[in-house]
Amino acid sequence: MKIVVIGGNGTIGNKVVAHLKKKHDVIVAGRSKGDVIVDIASSDSITSMFKQLGKLDAILCIAGEAKWADFNELTEEDYYIGLKSKLMGQVNLVRIGKDYLNTKGSITLSTGILADDPVIKTTSAAMVNGGIHSFVKAVNLEIENEIRVNVVSLGVVDDAYEKYKDYFPGHNPVSMDKAVNAYVRSVEGKGRGEIIKMYE
């Protein structure tokens, strides 16, 4: 399969790319480095990327940002960071990317445990994650050409645990192997409209 992984240079992305490269033709897309450059907060940038790549069999997004801050400090503009990047960025990857996918292709988005089990400072991020979960279930009712859209929702992963452990007291870190397998299930499996949860 010809696969593009947006965010393929990140903590999780680089492990997913290394695994998928064993069997597939993998293209890494990133905001500042990669085989192709893309800013998912820009529809024009997304369109430009897909035009460069041509027809694909799978699109994976392991990217997108949202503001982490105390609820009382979040401004309207702070919420728009997550809405424009992680939410609409991923929605636009589906909206635009479907036209560059072969029949029976797949799109895999990314969220996280905050949709179901938020912690402090994550009002914006949790909201965005929950919105993507609803979007994925709904879009599968209408998307054409037998395209499958799923979302992988991870807990805090091993390789990021030291950085984020103070935000997630008592949480069990998710092994990188389990994280990678969640994406493999979405890409190589047959499920559609799934929220693939790996929380511990």
Side-chain angles (χ1 to χ4, degrees), residues 11-12 15 154-165 171-179 198-200:
T11 301
I12 299 166
K15 293 288 198 302
L154 300 175
V156 60
V157 296
D158 257 342
D159 287 9
Y161 188 67
E162 283 303 312
K163 182 178 179 181
Y164 291 105
K165 66 181 181 181
H171 285 234
N172 294 311
V174 176
S175 76
M176 298 311 293
D177 285 345
K178 285 184 176 181
M198 194 64 67
Y199 290 165
E200 60 179 46

Side-chain angles (χ1 to χ4, degrees), residues 151-195:
V151 56
V152 169
S153 184
L154 300 175
V156 60
V157 296
D158 257 342
D159 287 9
Y161 188 67
E162 283 303 312
K163 182 178 179 181
Y164 291 105
K165 66 181 181 181
D166 290 343
Y167 290 104
F168 292 92
H171 285 234
N172 294 311
V174 176
S175 76
M176 298 311 293
D177 285 345
K178 285 184 176 181
V180 168
N181 279 338
Y183 288 95
V184 171
R185 173 177 157 184
S186 179
V187 174
E188 297 182 0
K190 297 296 182 186
R192 60 169 55 245
E194 292 188 346
I195 302 166

Side-chain angles (χ1 to χ4, degrees), residues 103-121:
T103 301
K104 297 186 179 179
S106 73
I107 305 174
T108 304
L109 308 181
S110 295
T111 56
I113 192 171
L114 301 175
D116 295 309
D117 191 5
V119 295
I120 59 168
K121 300 183 185 291

Side-chain angles (χ1 to χ4, degrees), residues 90-103:
Q90 295 197 94
V91 168
N92 284 330
L93 284 171
V94 178
R95 188 179 64 83
I96 299 165
K98 69 182 186 337
D99 297 327
Y100 295 87
L101 274 177
N102 291 318
T103 301

Side-chain angles (χ1 to χ4, degrees), residues 25-47:
D25 175 16
V26 180
I27 301 144
V28 174
R31 191 163 55 178
S32 58
K33 64 178 181 175
D35 302 314
V36 63
I37 301 301
V38 65
D39 176 4
I40 65 167
S42 162
S43 293
D44 288 343
S45 181
I46 290 170
T47 301

Side-chain angles (χ1 to χ4, degrees), residues 79-145:
Y79 282 98
Y80 285 134
I81 294 168
L83 289 170
K84 192 168 174 90
S85 175
K86 193 163 190 181
L87 181 62
M88 280 311 302
Q90 295 197 94
V91 168
N92 284 330
L93 284 171
V94 178
R95 188 179 64 83
I96 299 165
K98 69 182 186 337
D99 297 327
Y100 295 87
L101 274 177
N102 291 318
T103 301
K104 297 186 179 179
S106 73
I107 305 174
T108 304
L109 308 181
S110 295
T111 56
I113 192 171
L114 301 175
D116 295 309
D117 191 5
V119 295
I120 59 168
K121 300 183 185 291
T122 63
T123 309
S124 174
M127 174 188 74
V128 165
N129 286 352
I132 295 166
H133 288 185
S134 296
F135 167 76
V136 164
K137 288 190 285 186
V139 76
N140 276 281
L141 302 176
E142 299 185 65
I143 198 162
E144 298 173 342
N145 295 325

